[in-house]
Amino acid sequence: APVKGGILLALRGSFPRAMPTSVCDKIREKLKALGQDVWSQEEMENWDKFVGDFNLKTASAAEWFENVQANLEDNDKPVTEEAVIWELQRFAAICEKLRVGRQERMQRLEEMEKENLEEIEVSRAKLQKGEEKSLEYEAQVAHCEMLWARKEAARSQGSTVGMAGAENPAPTPVSYVAPVVTSTPVAAAPAAATNTG
C-alpha cells in the first residue's frame, strides 16, 4: 500500500549508516511535539524483544527494516497512527542503544590507547636505561683494554732491556780478600841457670 511504502521510505531516510548522536533525541522531540508520551530505552527493551536483543555487535539495518515491514504489514490492514508511533518509539530506543554502544566502544579504545602509550613510555625508559648501561660497559671495556695495552707495552720494554744485557754482560766484580797475617813462632827462651852447688 502507498502508506506503508511511504513510512518505510521515511524510516530508511532516517536510518543512515553513520547515525548522528542526536537522532534519538530528534525523534523524541518530534513525538513530544505530536503530544505523544516518550518512552525510555529501558522501557522499550522490556516491552519489545527485538529492541532488547539489539546491540552494536550484531546490529543489522536489513534485519531492522524487515522487522518494521513485518510489523506494519498486518494482513494488508491499513497502517494506523499507533503502529507508526510504536515503530518510532522502537527506532528512538535503538538509536540510543547505538549511541551508548559507540560511546562505550570509544571509551574502551581511549583506555586501550592510554594503556598502550603508558607501555610505550615504560619500554622507552627501559630502553634508555639499557643504552646507558651499554655505554657504561663499553667504557669499562675500553678502560680494561687500555690497561692491558699498557701492561703489554711495559712487559715488552722489560724483555728488550733483558736481551741487551745478555749480549754485553757486565764483568763480574772481584771481591778483595785481605791478606791473612800469621804470627812468627818465637824461640823458646833458655831456662834460667840455677846455682846448685
Side-chain angles (χ1 to χ4, degrees):
V3 178
K4 293 180 181 179
I7 291 175
L8 292 178
L9 180 61
L11 289 175
R12 286 192 177 95
S14 301
F15 194 21
R17 295 181 180 275
M19 295 172 55
T21 304
S22 60
V23 168
C24 58
D25 296 330
K26 290 180 178 180
I27 294 175
R28 287 167 177 162
E29 288 176 1
K30 295 294 183 181
L31 291 172
K32 288 180 180 179
L34 295 173
Q36 298 294 327
D37 294 331
V38 175
W39 298 325
S40 66
Q41 173 190 337
E42 292 76 13
E43 291 174 328
M44 294 303 301
E45 287 178 338
N46 293 330
W47 294 338
D48 191 278
K49 186 178 185 303
F50 185 90
V51 176
D53 296 339
F54 194 90
N55 62 76
L56 187 60
K57 293 181 180 179
T58 60
S60 171
E63 183 181 1
W64 160 253
F65 291 131
E66 291 175 0
N67 183 265
V68 172
Q69 187 172 5
N71 290 341
L72 295 177
E73 291 179 354
D74 186 8
N75 297 324
D76 293 331
K77 292 181 180 179
V79 177
T80 62
E81 181 180 354
E82 290 76 11
V84 175
I85 296 299
W86 175 256
E87 294 302 328
L88 290 175
Q89 295 277 13
R90 296 174 71 223
F91 188 47
I94 287 178
C95 290
E96 185 175 359
K97 292 189 71 172
L98 291 175
R99 178 179 65 180
V100 173
R102 283 197 304 271
Q103 290 175 347
E104 292 176 351
R105 184 175 62 179
M106 292 302 298
Q107 184 177 358
R108 288 194 299 268
L109 291 175
E110 290 175 358
E111 292 175 354
M112 292 175 59
E113 183 179 4
K114 182 179 179 181
E115 292 176 357
N116 290 336
L117 290 176
E118 291 176 354
E119 292 178 358
I120 290 174
E121 289 298 326
V122 171
S123 300
R124 185 178 299 172
K126 290 182 179 180
L127 181 60
Q128 183 175 359
K129 289 183 179 179
E131 290 178 351
E132 293 175 356
K133 203 68 177 178
S134 177
L135 292 176
E136 182 180 346
Y137 288 153
E138 289 180 2
Q140 292 178 358
V141 170
H143 182 69
C144 291
E145 290 177 349
M146 180 188 66
L147 294 178
W148 178 262
R150 288 182 179 179
K151 184 177 180 181
E152 290 296 318
R155 181 181 301 175
S156 177
Q157 291 178 358
S159 299
T160 302
V161 172
M163 292 176 62
E167 294 175 357
N168 301 306
T172 303
V174 179
S175 59
Y176 175 76
V177 179
V180 178
V181 179
T182 57
S183 59
T184 305
V186 179
T194 58
N195 294 321
T196 59

